[in-house]
Amino acid sequence: MSRAVPLLQAREVTVSRPGEAGRSQRVLQEVSMEIEAGEVLAVVGPSGGGKSTLLRLFNRLLEPDCGEILLAGINIQTIDPPLVRARIPLVAQKPFLFSGTVLDNLQASARLRRAVFPDLNASELQELLELCQLNSAWLDRDARKLSIGQQQRICLMRALVGPCEALLLDEPTSALDRPTADQLAQTFRELARQKNLAIVVVTHDLRLAELCADRLALLLDGSVVEEGPATQVLHHPTTAAARQFLSSEPVENSETKG
């Protein structure tokens, strides 16, 4: 039996940028990875290691120098960028909300992505609110006056209004307290399972990675040095580079994932 095609793939992608004295500097070096539908992959590593660059390749905010990004086996360079970003939205580190109510923000996202916004009483909308742990009473509230944690959840739901197949999350809990971050980590896992999404989370937070991710990729100096089940990589790394990184970035104790 042939193996199913992963929903999201990076194949030997390399990215360079101008460095000192006009010399080209490699940001990513022949990076390959796969994310299945229903799976959460956490990408961790130090600042400047290429994590955010990799994330932006997945929805054509950046283009690789060589290599390719595939969505369901199709090179995304053959798909118009707006359609790629509708199918693979990115939730940025800092919440950005339009002026107006929470409902205004959700409806604006639907218009921009040429999607039909569900009726307020539709089960689809109620399901999304529940998954993102948003109260329906907030729909009429000023979105910019909500807490940072609530704003982050609105941005998450806004990304899911439309033809979302994969979800990119850039440091999604960096501005949140620990209990709120832990709750959001569980939300990511539930979204992946219930919506059958491929989710890529870029984070410095190793606790978050262990709580939310099925697999983990450690990116150092633009290369994946270790990849595997999240708990295994974090607690039983097999490479010297991973052991050295993790010894300087200890993993906090976390509860067993459900």
Side-chain angles (χ1 to χ4, degrees):
M1 181 180 295
S2 60
R3 180 173 177 267
V5 175
L7 183 60
L8 198 58
Q9 292 175 274
R11 285 186 179 172
E12 298 185 344
V13 293
T14 294
V15 176
S16 300
R17 65 185 174 199
E20 296 180 0
R23 296 177 181 174
S24 181
Q25 178 183 350
R26 285 284 168 86
V27 181
L28 294 175
Q29 176 67 43
E30 296 182 353
V31 169
S32 296
M33 58 181 59
E34 300 178 351
I35 308 96
E36 305 283 352
E39 179 180 54
V40 181
L41 172 73
V43 181
V44 303
S47 298
K51 301 188 304 299
S52 293
T53 296
L54 175 64
L55 203 65
R56 282 154 177 72
L57 290 176
F58 277 124
N59 74 346
R60 294 199 68 183
L61 287 172
L62 293 175
E63 304 284 6
D65 298 334
C66 58
E68 56 185 1
I69 303 294
L70 306 177
L71 176 62
I74 298 172
N75 190 327
I76 64 172
Q77 289 189 329
T78 67
I79 307 172
D80 288 341
L83 182 55
V84 172
R85 290 163 200 155
R87 295 170 67 182
I88 315 175
L90 187 152
V91 178
Q93 178 176 355
K94 183 178 180 181
F96 170 80
L97 295 169
F98 303 114
S99 60
T101 66
V102 172
L103 181 59
D104 291 336
N105 272 266
L106 298 176
Q107 290 175 330
S109 175
R111 288 194 301 271
L112 289 170
R113 301 169 74 191
R114 299 180 183 179
V116 177
F117 188 78
D119 184 83
L120 291 181
N121 296 317
S123 58
E124 177 186 356
L125 182 63
Q126 298 307 312
E127 177 186 310
L128 275 176
L129 286 167
E130 184 176 338
L131 272 172
C132 296
Q133 298 182 28
L134 287 169
N135 191 317
S136 59
W138 297 349
L139 290 174
D140 293 327
R141 294 178 61 181
D142 187 329
R144 291 180 173 176
K145 292 184 178 179
L146 296 176
S147 71
I148 293 297
Q150 291 165 342
Q151 289 184 27
Q152 193 70 283
R153 291 182 181 280
I154 294 164
C155 291
L156 185 62
M157 182 170 171
R158 193 169 60 183
L160 297 171
V161 176
C164 180
E165 297 173 50
L167 186 62
L168 310 174
L169 304 171
D170 192 359
E171 298 287 359
T173 62
S174 61
L176 307 181
D177 58 54
R178 177 58 69 194
T180 304
D182 288 355
Q183 289 177 357
L184 202 58
Q186 186 61 35
T187 297
F188 302 152
R189 291 179 61 78
E190 292 173 1
L191 282 171
R193 304 295 187 271
Q194 295 190 35
K195 305 293 287 184
N196 206 32
L197 301 176
I199 298 182
V200 184
V201 181
V202 158
T203 183
H204 285 89
D205 187 342
L206 300 184
R207 175 188 168 93
L208 171 72
E210 185 170 23
L211 282 172
C212 77
D214 300 290
R215 290 187 303 110
L216 182 143
L218 175 56
L219 196 63
L220 297 177
D221 297 324
S223 296
V224 176
V225 299
E226 187 150 353
E227 183 178 357
T231 299
Q232 177 182 310
V233 173
L234 289 170
H235 295 286
H236 306 286
T238 61
T239 64
R243 288 193 293 270
Q244 182 176 357
F245 172 76
L246 292 169
S247 67
S248 63
E249 300 282 343
V251 186
E252 297 180 27
N253 291 332
S254 59
E255 296 181 1
T256 303
K257 293 184 287 187

